[in-house]
Amino acid sequence: MVVVESIKNMMENENVTYEYIYKLLESDYSSELNQRIVKSKAYGVEVERKDIVNGQVISTCKDFIKYISPKKERVTELVKFLKNNTVSPIHLVDVIEECIEGYISDFNDIN
């Protein structure tokens, strides 16, 4: 996996700063089609949250979904959606589960 893009969101709550990092991931993907292996790129997302007190990271949490779609623009929009809604890694799967169900068919277009 390679991080293609990342964007941050910061939130403050009393003495804790929460730094959210949303990453667009790129991975090699292969599948079998008509008894031959087809290779392509696939895109996913990673969400990381760092809890910072007095400039020190006191905890981190992250989650990712490696393969969402071979269409980079679709996953880029998803990363922006996650950032704009300050989605936590704890809720990543719950938030995008229904959305990415429709993206699975994108893999059928790989020749």
Side-chain angles (χ1 to χ4, degrees), residues 51-104:
D51 302 349
I52 304 166
V53 176
N54 296 325
Q56 298 290 322
V57 176
I58 59 168
S59 68
T60 62
C61 177
K62 67 179 164 180
D63 198 3
F64 70 95
I65 300 173
K66 188 173 182 178
Y67 301 121
I68 294 176
S69 174
K71 297 179 179 180
K72 181 179 178 181
E73 61 281 352
R74 288 185 91 162
V75 184
T76 298
E77 288 302 312
L78 186 57
V79 170
K80 290 176 186 175
F81 169 82
L82 296 171
K83 181 211 177 265
N84 291 340
N85 291 282
T86 316
V87 174
S88 170
I90 296 166
H91 302 291
L92 174 63
V93 173
D94 295 329
V95 170
I96 67 172
E97 182 176 34
E98 287 182 34
C99 179
I100 65 175
E101 284 179 10
Y103 293 3
I104 291 172

Side-chain angles (χ1 to χ4, degrees), residues 1-107:
M1 275 187 308
V2 175
V3 176
V4 178
E5 296 175 24
S6 67
I7 50 178
K8 292 183 182 181
N9 217 8
M10 304 286 274
M11 289 183 56
E12 303 242 357
N13 187 7
E14 296 181 15
N15 66 336
V16 181
T17 300
Y18 300 99
E19 179 182 71
Y20 292 88
I21 306 166
Y22 302 93
K23 301 174 186 174
L24 174 65
L25 306 174
E26 180 183 86
S27 300
D28 292 325
Y29 180 81
S30 60
S31 60
E32 187 174 329
L33 179 67
N34 298 326
Q35 299 181 347
R36 66 183 178 95
I37 301 296
V38 177
K39 295 184 179 187
S40 66
K41 298 290 183 190
Y43 298 89
V45 298
E46 179 180 287
V47 178
E48 180 177 9
R49 187 188 81 209
K50 296 179 183 180
D51 302 349
I52 304 166
V53 176
N54 296 325
Q56 298 290 322
V57 176
I58 59 168
S59 68
T60 62
C61 177
K62 67 179 164 180
D63 198 3
F64 70 95
I65 300 173
K66 188 173 182 178
Y67 301 121
I68 294 176
S69 174
K71 297 179 179 180
K72 181 179 178 181
E73 61 281 352
R74 288 185 91 162
V75 184
T76 298
E77 288 302 312
L78 186 57
V79 170
K80 290 176 186 175
F81 169 82
L82 296 171
K83 181 211 177 265
N84 291 340
N85 291 282
T86 316
V87 174
S88 170
I90 296 166
H91 302 291
L92 174 63
V93 173
D94 295 329
V95 170
I96 67 172
E97 182 176 34
E98 287 182 34
C99 179
I100 65 175
E101 284 179 10
Y103 293 3
I104 291 172
S105 63
D106 293 348
F107 288 100

